[in-house]
């Protein structure tokens, strides 16, 4: 059983998207984690610059409200559509700026390393991630995809606490270098 007086880190996980950005706030001691808040920032059909402003403002509000010590964000590895990649990259920029402005220390993880940390397989599908997030955080119901991905990113960072950054960012054990 976890010591209720053990120091806890507050971590904000973000799964950036051009229409839906998932967020998840957890408290963790590195072994046990508890969801504090989670959800999805939906910016829908607003004009593109307005969407970026909404993402920035809403992430900044989440950072101000929950005051995370650290923020973990999913990296953009590749995209088949260059326009989509550019938009997701811009959304990531808005997220990163909001977190940094709010004083959070920012960490980035590849989708593969998040899946590996949470599910045990870097090739896990969305439903497996959702299921494991529910189990690991003892949630009463399965979170929606974007919310589950954000919580998984936060859990990935929680599981990586104490591991030097150059080692924890590896997408697989083959990528890990001592």
């Amino acid at each position: 059983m976890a010591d209720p007086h053990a120091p806890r880190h507050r971590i904000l996980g973000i799964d950036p998207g051009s229409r839906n950005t998932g967020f998840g706030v957890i408290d963790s001691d590195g072994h046990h984690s508890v969801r504090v808040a989670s959800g999805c920032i939906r910016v829908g059909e607003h004009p593109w610059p307005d969407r970026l402003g909404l993402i920035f403002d809403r992430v900044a509000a989440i950072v101000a409200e929950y005051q995370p010590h650290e923020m973990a964000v999913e990296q953009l590895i590749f995209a088949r559509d260059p326009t989509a990649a550019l938009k997701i990259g811009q959304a990531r920029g808005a997220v990163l700026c909001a977190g940094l402005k709010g004083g959070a220390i920012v960490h980035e993880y590849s989708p593969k390393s998040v899946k590996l940390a949470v599910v045990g397989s870097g090739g896990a599908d969305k439903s497996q991630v959702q299921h494991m997030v529910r189990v690991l955080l003892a949630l009463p119901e399965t979170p929606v995809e974007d919310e589950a991905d954000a919580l998984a990113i936060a859990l990935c960072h929680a599981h990586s606490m104490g591991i030097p950054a150059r080692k924890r960012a590896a997408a697989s054990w083959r990528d890990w270098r001592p």
Side-chain angles (χ1 to χ4, degrees), residues 86-166:
L86 182 61
K87 286 186 175 184
I88 292 171
Q90 291 172 339
R92 284 185 78 252
V95 166
L96 294 172
C97 288
L100 290 167
K101 184 179 182 217
I105 299 167
V106 176
H107 305 272
E108 296 178 276
Y109 294 92
S110 71
K112 189 174 183 178
S113 62
V114 171
K115 292 173 185 178
L116 189 63
V118 174
V119 179
S121 168
D125 65 29
K126 295 277 190 184
S127 64
Q128 290 172 308
V129 172
Q130 288 173 288
H131 172 75
M132 285 308 298
V133 164
R134 181 179 182 197
V135 169
L136 291 170
L137 293 173
L139 301 177
E141 57 190 39
T142 303
V144 298
E145 281 184 14
D146 295 315
E147 179 181 5
D149 287 348
L151 288 165
I153 294 161
L155 286 166
C156 175
H157 182 67
H159 295 165
S160 300
M161 289 191 317
I163 299 172
R166 66 183 175 82

